[in-house]
Amino acid sequence: MSPLPLAQCTPRDRFQQRRRVQRPFCPKIVTLQAFCYDPDTIFWSRPLFWEAIMFRPLLAAAFVIAFGSTAAAATYDIESDFSEAVNPSGPWSFGFYATFNDPASLTLLPGASDLFSTPGLDGYATPSTILIMQNTNATDIVPFTGVYPAGAVIMHPSFSNQQAVIRFTAQTSGQHAFDVLWSAADLAGSTTTTDTQVIWNGAVQSVGAVNGASGLTSGFNSSLSLTSGDFVDFVVGYGSDGSHLYDSTRFEAVITTAPVPLPAGLGFLILALTALGFAGRQRSSD
Protein backbone atom coordinates (compact mmCIF):
# COMPACT_ATOMS: atom_id res chain seq x y z
CA MET A 1 0.00 0.00 0.00
CA SER A 2 1.14 3.54 -0.71
CA PRO A 3 1.50 6.10 2.08
CA LEU A 4 -0.83 9.13 1.93
CA PRO A 5 -0.29 12.66 3.20
CA LEU A 6 -2.02 13.26 6.51
CA ALA A 7 -4.52 15.62 4.87
CA GLN A 8 -5.73 12.88 2.53
CA CYS A 9 -6.34 10.28 5.22
CA THR A 10 -9.95 9.70 6.16
CA PRO A 11 -11.03 9.75 9.83
CA ARG A 12 -11.55 6.00 9.58
CA ASP A 13 -7.97 5.53 8.36
CA ARG A 14 -6.70 7.49 11.33
CA PHE A 15 -8.98 5.67 13.77
CA GLN A 16 -8.03 2.22 12.47
CA GLN A 17 -4.37 3.12 12.48
CA ARG A 18 -4.55 4.26 16.10
CA ARG A 19 -6.37 1.08 17.15
CA ARG A 20 -3.84 -1.02 15.23
CA VAL A 21 -0.94 0.45 17.19
CA GLN A 22 -2.68 0.51 20.55
CA ARG A 23 -4.13 -3.01 20.26
CA PRO A 24 -1.88 -4.99 17.88
CA PHE A 25 -3.43 -8.36 18.79
CA CYS A 26 -7.10 -7.36 18.38
CA PRO A 27 -8.62 -9.77 15.79
CA LYS A 28 -11.33 -7.28 14.80
CA ILE A 29 -8.91 -4.76 13.36
CA VAL A 30 -8.95 -4.86 9.58
CA THR A 31 -5.97 -4.38 7.28
CA LEU A 32 -5.37 -0.72 6.56
CA GLN A 33 -5.75 0.57 3.05
CA ALA A 34 -3.40 3.52 3.54
CA PHE A 35 -0.59 4.78 5.74
CA CYS A 36 -0.92 8.37 6.90
CA TYR A 37 2.17 10.50 7.21
CA ASP A 38 3.09 14.06 7.99
CA PRO A 39 5.06 15.52 5.02
CA ASP A 40 6.97 17.81 7.42
CA THR A 41 8.63 14.84 9.18
CA ILE A 42 10.47 11.73 8.05
CA PHE A 43 8.26 9.46 10.20
CA TRP A 44 4.68 8.46 9.58
CA SER A 45 2.37 10.15 12.04
CA ARG A 46 0.99 6.76 13.12
CA PRO A 47 3.85 4.31 13.56
CA LEU A 48 2.13 1.35 11.96
CA PHE A 49 5.16 0.71 9.74
CA TRP A 50 7.51 0.55 12.70
CA GLU A 51 5.01 -1.59 14.61
CA ALA A 52 4.84 -4.06 11.73
CA ILE A 53 8.58 -4.15 11.02
CA MET A 54 10.05 -3.91 14.51
CA PHE A 55 7.50 -4.26 17.29
CA ARG A 56 6.31 -7.79 16.65
CA PRO A 57 9.78 -9.34 16.16
CA LEU A 58 10.99 -7.64 19.33
CA LEU A 59 7.89 -8.83 21.15
CA ALA A 60 8.53 -12.39 20.00
CA ALA A 61 12.19 -12.11 21.07
CA ALA A 62 11.09 -10.93 24.50
CA PHE A 63 8.93 -14.01 24.99
CA VAL A 64 11.72 -16.30 23.80
CA ILE A 65 14.13 -14.74 26.26
CA ALA A 66 11.58 -14.77 29.05
CA PHE A 67 10.48 -18.36 28.70
CA GLY A 68 12.91 -20.35 26.60
CA SER A 69 16.46 -19.02 26.72
CA THR A 70 19.28 -20.85 28.44
CA ALA A 71 23.01 -20.48 28.82
CA ALA A 72 24.81 -23.27 27.01
CA ALA A 73 26.08 -26.26 28.99
CA ALA A 74 29.84 -26.71 29.34
CA THR A 75 31.86 -29.91 29.40
CA TYR A 76 35.28 -30.33 31.00
CA ASP A 77 37.34 -33.43 30.20
CA ILE A 78 40.62 -33.87 32.06
CA GLU A 79 42.25 -35.77 29.20
CA SER A 80 41.29 -33.15 26.62
CA ASP A 81 41.98 -30.17 28.89
CA PHE A 82 45.25 -31.34 30.45
CA SER A 83 48.18 -28.95 30.04
CA GLU A 84 51.72 -29.50 31.29
CA ALA A 85 52.63 -25.90 30.44
CA VAL A 86 50.15 -23.94 32.58
CA ASN A 87 49.15 -24.60 36.19
CA PRO A 88 46.36 -23.82 36.94
CA SER A 89 44.98 -24.51 33.48
CA GLY A 90 41.40 -23.26 33.12
CA PRO A 91 39.37 -24.97 35.84
CA TRP A 92 42.10 -27.54 36.58
CA SER A 93 44.95 -27.27 39.11
CA PHE A 94 47.65 -29.90 39.67
CA GLY A 95 49.36 -30.32 43.01
CA PHE A 96 49.59 -32.15 46.33
CA TYR A 97 48.53 -31.67 49.94
CA ALA A 98 51.48 -30.41 51.97
CA THR A 99 49.49 -31.48 55.04
CA PHE A 100 47.71 -34.83 54.93
CA ASN A 101 44.02 -34.55 53.98
CA ASP A 102 44.12 -30.73 54.18
CA PRO A 103 42.71 -29.01 51.07
CA ALA A 104 43.93 -25.65 52.37
CA SER A 105 47.50 -26.90 52.03
CA LEU A 106 47.26 -27.58 48.28
CA THR A 107 50.63 -26.82 46.70
CA LEU A 108 50.97 -26.58 42.94
CA LEU A 109 53.48 -28.82 41.22
CA PRO A 110 56.19 -27.64 38.79
CA GLY A 111 55.98 -28.73 35.17
CA ALA A 112 58.14 -31.49 33.72
CA SER A 113 58.60 -33.12 30.32
CA ASP A 114 59.66 -36.60 29.21
CA LEU A 115 59.22 -38.13 32.65
CA PHE A 116 61.03 -41.44 33.23
CA SER A 117 63.04 -40.45 30.14
CA THR A 118 59.96 -41.29 28.11
CA PRO A 119 59.22 -38.89 25.24
CA GLY A 120 55.67 -37.54 25.41
CA LEU A 121 55.13 -38.41 29.07
CA ASP A 122 54.63 -34.86 30.31
CA GLY A 123 53.10 -33.23 33.34
CA TYR A 124 54.11 -32.35 36.90
CA ALA A 125 56.51 -33.98 39.35
CA THR A 126 58.59 -33.58 42.50
CA PRO A 127 61.72 -35.47 43.58
CA SER A 128 59.54 -37.23 46.19
CA THR A 129 57.76 -39.00 43.30
CA ILE A 130 54.49 -37.06 43.44
CA LEU A 131 53.45 -37.32 39.82
CA ILE A 132 50.57 -36.04 37.72
CA MET A 133 51.27 -36.71 34.07
CA GLN A 134 49.75 -37.49 30.68
CA ASN A 135 50.78 -39.76 27.86
CA THR A 136 50.60 -37.24 25.02
CA ASN A 137 51.60 -39.84 22.45
CA ALA A 138 49.17 -41.34 19.97
CA THR A 139 50.07 -44.84 21.17
CA ASP A 140 50.28 -46.63 24.52
CA ILE A 141 53.56 -46.50 26.42
CA VAL A 142 55.00 -48.94 28.98
CA PRO A 143 57.37 -47.20 31.38
CA PHE A 144 58.72 -49.68 33.94
CA THR A 145 55.69 -51.67 35.17
CA GLY A 146 53.14 -49.10 33.99
CA VAL A 147 50.80 -49.35 31.05
CA TYR A 148 49.66 -45.85 30.04
CA PRO A 149 47.12 -45.67 27.20
CA ALA A 150 47.31 -42.82 24.70
CA GLY A 151 45.94 -39.66 26.29
CA ALA A 152 45.75 -41.18 29.78
CA VAL A 153 46.24 -38.94 32.82
CA ILE A 154 48.19 -40.65 35.62
CA MET A 155 48.34 -39.73 39.35
CA HIS A 156 50.98 -41.03 41.76
CA PRO A 157 51.47 -40.25 45.49
CA SER A 158 54.82 -39.70 47.23
CA PHE A 159 56.78 -42.18 49.36
CA SER A 160 55.65 -40.26 52.50
CA ASN A 161 52.01 -40.41 51.37
CA GLN A 162 51.79 -36.82 50.26
CA GLN A 163 48.62 -37.14 48.23
CA ALA A 164 48.51 -36.25 44.55
CA VAL A 165 45.63 -33.84 43.88
CA ILE A 166 43.83 -32.61 40.79
CA ARG A 167 41.50 -29.74 41.68
CA PHE A 168 38.48 -28.64 39.66
CA THR A 169 37.27 -25.09 40.31
CA ALA A 170 33.72 -24.26 39.21
CA GLN A 171 33.63 -21.55 36.54
CA THR A 172 29.86 -20.98 36.85
CA SER A 173 27.15 -21.62 39.42
CA GLY A 174 24.70 -24.48 38.95
CA GLN A 175 24.45 -28.25 38.73
CA HIS A 176 27.64 -30.10 37.77
CA ALA A 177 27.45 -33.76 36.78
CA PHE A 178 30.61 -35.75 37.58
CA ASP A 179 31.67 -38.92 35.77
CA VAL A 180 34.94 -39.95 37.43
CA LEU A 181 36.96 -43.17 37.39
CA TRP A 182 40.29 -44.21 38.91
CA SER A 183 41.89 -47.46 37.72
CA ALA A 184 45.22 -49.25 38.01
CA ALA A 185 48.01 -48.18 35.64
CA ASP A 186 50.76 -50.36 37.10
CA LEU A 187 49.83 -53.76 35.72
CA ALA A 188 53.05 -55.61 34.89
CA GLY A 189 54.25 -57.63 37.88
CA SER A 190 53.59 -55.44 40.93
CA THR A 191 50.29 -53.59 40.67
CA THR A 192 48.61 -50.42 41.86
CA THR A 193 47.21 -50.22 45.40
CA THR A 194 45.96 -46.71 46.16
CA ASP A 195 43.17 -44.91 47.99
CA THR A 196 41.02 -42.18 46.48
CA GLN A 197 38.87 -39.32 47.74
CA VAL A 198 36.56 -36.66 46.33
CA ILE A 199 36.53 -33.52 48.49
CA TRP A 200 34.17 -30.59 47.88
CA ASN A 201 35.17 -27.34 49.61
CA GLY A 202 36.88 -29.38 52.33
CA ALA A 203 34.04 -31.88 52.84
CA VAL A 204 34.65 -35.49 51.81
CA GLN A 205 32.07 -36.68 49.28
CA SER A 206 33.46 -40.08 48.38
CA VAL A 207 36.25 -42.49 49.34
CA GLY A 208 37.46 -45.53 47.48
CA ALA A 209 40.36 -47.78 46.65
CA VAL A 210 42.13 -49.08 43.54
CA ASN A 211 43.78 -52.50 43.33
CA GLY A 212 45.33 -53.71 40.11
CA ALA A 213 45.59 -57.32 41.21
CA SER A 214 41.88 -57.66 41.92
CA GLY A 215 40.70 -55.27 39.22
CA LEU A 216 39.18 -52.96 41.84
CA THR A 217 38.43 -49.45 40.56
CA SER A 218 37.06 -46.35 42.25
CA GLY A 219 34.50 -43.96 40.83
CA PHE A 220 32.33 -40.96 41.54
CA ASN A 221 29.14 -40.50 39.54
CA SER A 222 27.05 -37.80 41.09
CA SER A 223 25.75 -34.27 40.62
CA LEU A 224 26.73 -31.36 42.85
CA SER A 225 25.21 -27.88 42.99
CA LEU A 226 28.31 -25.70 42.83
CA THR A 227 28.75 -21.97 43.22
CA SER A 228 31.29 -20.28 40.99
CA GLY A 229 34.64 -20.57 42.76
CA ASP A 230 33.79 -23.80 44.61
CA PHE A 231 36.48 -26.45 44.34
CA VAL A 232 36.32 -30.23 44.08
CA ASP A 233 39.55 -32.13 44.77
CA PHE A 234 40.34 -35.56 43.34
CA VAL A 235 42.90 -37.13 45.66
CA VAL A 236 45.16 -40.20 45.44
CA GLY A 237 47.09 -41.61 48.42
CA TYR A 238 49.35 -44.65 48.66
CA GLY A 239 46.69 -47.00 49.95
CA SER A 240 46.38 -49.64 52.63
CA ASP A 241 49.72 -51.32 51.87
CA GLY A 242 51.58 -48.24 53.12
CA SER A 243 53.85 -48.07 50.09
CA HIS A 244 54.04 -45.70 47.14
CA LEU A 245 55.78 -48.26 44.93
CA TYR A 246 53.93 -49.23 41.76
CA ASP A 247 51.08 -46.86 42.54
CA SER A 248 50.46 -45.26 39.15
CA THR A 249 46.71 -44.63 39.00
CA ARG A 250 44.82 -43.59 35.89
CA PHE A 251 42.36 -40.73 36.40
CA GLU A 252 39.43 -40.09 34.06
CA ALA A 253 36.95 -37.28 34.65
CA VAL A 254 34.24 -35.61 32.59
CA ILE A 255 32.30 -32.81 34.25
CA THR A 256 29.21 -31.36 32.60
CA THR A 257 27.30 -28.29 33.68
CA ALA A 258 23.53 -28.11 33.26
CA PRO A 259 22.07 -25.43 30.94
CA VAL A 260 21.17 -22.39 33.05
CA PRO A 261 17.91 -20.51 32.24
CA LEU A 262 18.43 -16.81 31.73
CA PRO A 263 16.45 -14.56 34.08
CA ALA A 264 12.80 -14.34 33.03
CA GLY A 265 12.80 -10.70 34.07
CA LEU A 266 15.09 -9.89 31.16
CA GLY A 267 12.40 -10.80 28.66
CA PHE A 268 9.78 -8.74 30.45
CA LEU A 269 12.20 -5.80 30.61
CA ILE A 270 12.66 -5.93 26.85
CA LEU A 271 8.91 -6.18 26.40
CA ALA A 272 8.27 -3.19 28.67
CA LEU A 273 10.93 -1.04 27.02
CA THR A 274 9.58 -1.95 23.58
CA ALA A 275 6.03 -1.03 24.55
CA LEU A 276 7.11 2.24 26.17
CA GLY A 277 9.18 3.15 23.13
CA PHE A 278 6.30 2.68 20.72
CA ALA A 279 3.84 4.35 23.04
CA GLY A 280 6.15 7.35 23.16
CA ARG A 281 6.49 7.36 19.38
CA GLN A 282 2.71 7.21 19.02
CA ARG A 283 2.13 10.11 21.41
CA SER A 284 4.72 12.22 19.66
CA SER A 285 2.96 11.63 16.33
CA ASP A 286 -0.59 12.39 17.53
Side-chain angles (χ1 to χ4, degrees):
M1 64 186 73
S2 301
L4 295 176
L6 193 61
Q8 297 181 25
C9 289
T10 66
R12 180 171 179 79
D13 285 331
R14 297 182 186 183
F15 174 71
Q16 285 283 50
Q17 199 162 253
R18 182 180 294 109
R19 290 182 67 196
R20 182 75 173 190
V21 172
Q22 292 174 341
R23 302 176 64 192
F25 296 110
C26 180
K28 295 182 180 180
I29 296 175
V30 299
T31 302
L32 295 182
Q33 298 304 310
F35 291 127
C36 305
Y37 74 96
D38 186 340
D40 295 328
T41 69
I42 62 171
F43 298 108
W44 293 336
S45 61
R46 304 290 184 214
L48 179 59
F49 173 79
W50 299 104
E51 182 268 331
I53 298 300
M54 298 177 64
F55 182 72
R56 288 185 175 179
L58 285 175
L59 185 62
F63 277 100
V64 169
I65 293 174
F67 299 110
S69 294
T70 58
T75 299
Y76 305 97
D77 185 329
I78 186 61
E79 293 187 355
S80 299
D81 300 343
F82 191 91
S83 170
E84 73 281 359
V86 181
N87 189 13
S89 177
W92 304 102
S93 302
F94 309 97
F96 65 97
Y97 288 160
T99 302
F100 185 75
N101 269 358
D102 181 10
S105 71
L106 179 71
T107 303
L108 298 182
L109 289 166
S113 299
D114 297 343
L115 292 162
F116 303 132
S117 300
T118 304
L121 185 56
D122 304 327
Y124 303 91
T126 67
S128 62
T129 68
I130 301 172
L131 300 165
I132 298 176
M133 50 195 172
Q134 182 179 42
N135 175 14
T136 63
N137 296 286
T139 57
D140 297 356
I141 57 176
V142 186
F144 301 110
T145 61
V147 178
Y148 302 166
V153 172
I154 307 298
M155 304 177 70
H156 193 291
S158 80
F159 57 78
S160 60
N161 202 23
Q162 285 181 313
Q163 298 148 300
V165 180
I166 294 179
R167 172 170 290 182
F168 173 82
T169 301
Q171 307 297 290
T172 58
S173 298
Q175 290 294 322
H176 289 61
F178 291 81
D179 185 4
V180 175
L181 179 68
W182 283 280
S183 57
D186 271 316
L187 297 171
S190 297
T191 60
T192 301
T193 53
T194 51
D195 59 82
T196 66
Q197 295 183 79
V198 177
I199 301 177
W200 172 21
N201 286 351
V204 176
Q205 303 298 304
S206 174
V207 296
V210 175
N211 189 299
S214 66
L216 181 66
T217 62
S218 177
F220 180 69
N221 299 94
S222 187
S223 182
L224 299 176
S225 180
L226 304 184
T227 299
S228 179
D230 281 1
F231 66 86
V232 179
D233 287 350
F234 304 100
V235 184
V236 170
Y238 64 20
S240 59
D241 67 350
S243 172
H244 74 295
L245 296 175
Y246 313 109
D247 271 351
S248 295
T249 305
R250 184 177 182 179
F251 175 65
E252 300 170 78
V254 176
I255 302 170
T256 306
T257 65
V260 179
L262 295 176
L266 181 59
F268 291 112
L269 177 61
I270 294 176
L271 175 60
L273 291 177
T274 303
L276 287 174
F278 280 98
R281 184 185 295 277
Q282 181 184 350
R283 285 194 297 269
S284 67
S285 62
D286 284 340

